[in-house]
Amino acid sequence: FRNEAAEVLTEAAEIDCNVEFAIVTGHSFREELGRFMDDLAENLNCTPHVYAIENRLFGESVTVAGLVAGRDVIDQLKDKKLGSALLVPDVMIRAGEDHFLDDMTPELLAQELGCPVIVVHATPWGILEAIEELADDQQS
């Protein structure tokens, strides 16, 4: 992740997008993702909100993003600042399917939170691509 993050930050230095959004992860990756998002925000002139989701489905000792339930995301982000979209890493979605472990879909999540939900590749490049799409959508 760090190697790709360095590459992304080099490319992102040429991009200026004034977009506000949120991104979620598990507690174990919060610090690493937060550092990357802080650097990306500075380079892109964007405003990310990084939220670590506590796992209530399996218990708070489970801290990885891949085991986060959709209901936990809703319950913990209901009154949070989300901006123009919520980015959800693809590792939170069951492989080959279109829902979280608790059968919540990204579409239902979007309805509950009142903002678009974008499933992104859980890589620095995937995050950058989603941010660029958000910026393009705002300019249209």
Side-chain angles (χ1 to χ4, degrees):
F1 188 91
R2 289 179 184 165
N3 289 340
E4 277 191 29
E7 293 171 10
V8 165
L9 292 170
T10 299
E11 182 169 310
E14 303 168 10
I15 302 168
D16 184 29
C17 64
N18 187 15
V19 64
E20 180 180 5
F21 61 93
I23 187 167
V24 291
T25 189
H27 278 282
S28 62
F29 198 62
R30 166 59 177 99
E31 189 174 324
E32 186 74 31
L33 182 61
R35 273 194 302 271
F36 172 64
M37 296 311 298
D38 287 346
D39 291 342
L40 203 57
E42 188 175 310
N43 284 358
L44 293 177
N45 190 31
C46 64
T47 306
H49 304 284
V50 180
Y51 297 109
I53 304 299
E54 181 179 302
N55 194 319
R56 295 185 182 145
L57 180 64
F58 296 112
E60 58 187 62
S61 64
V62 177
T63 61
V64 295
L67 295 175
V68 168
R71 177 54 51 194
D72 287 341
V73 175
I74 291 168
D75 291 346
Q76 294 170 52
L77 295 186
K78 198 74 165 162
D79 299 318
K80 301 285 187 193
K81 198 171 205 176
L82 301 178
S84 59
L86 173 63
L87 307 185
V88 173
D90 59 357
V91 297
M92 286 187 181
I93 305 299
R94 286 184 178 182
E97 300 179 29
D98 188 30
H99 55 270
F100 292 82
L101 293 175
D102 61 354
D103 293 328
M104 173 72 61
T105 65
E107 293 78 22
L108 288 173
L109 186 66
Q111 287 176 349
E112 291 280 335
L113 293 174
C115 80
V117 171
I118 301 169
V119 178
V120 302
H121 292 291
T123 66
W125 288 109
I127 294 167
L128 178 62
E129 182 179 305
I131 295 168
E132 289 175 325
E133 286 177 25
L134 283 173
D136 288 346
D137 289 348
Q138 280 191 343
Q139 292 175 358
S140 311

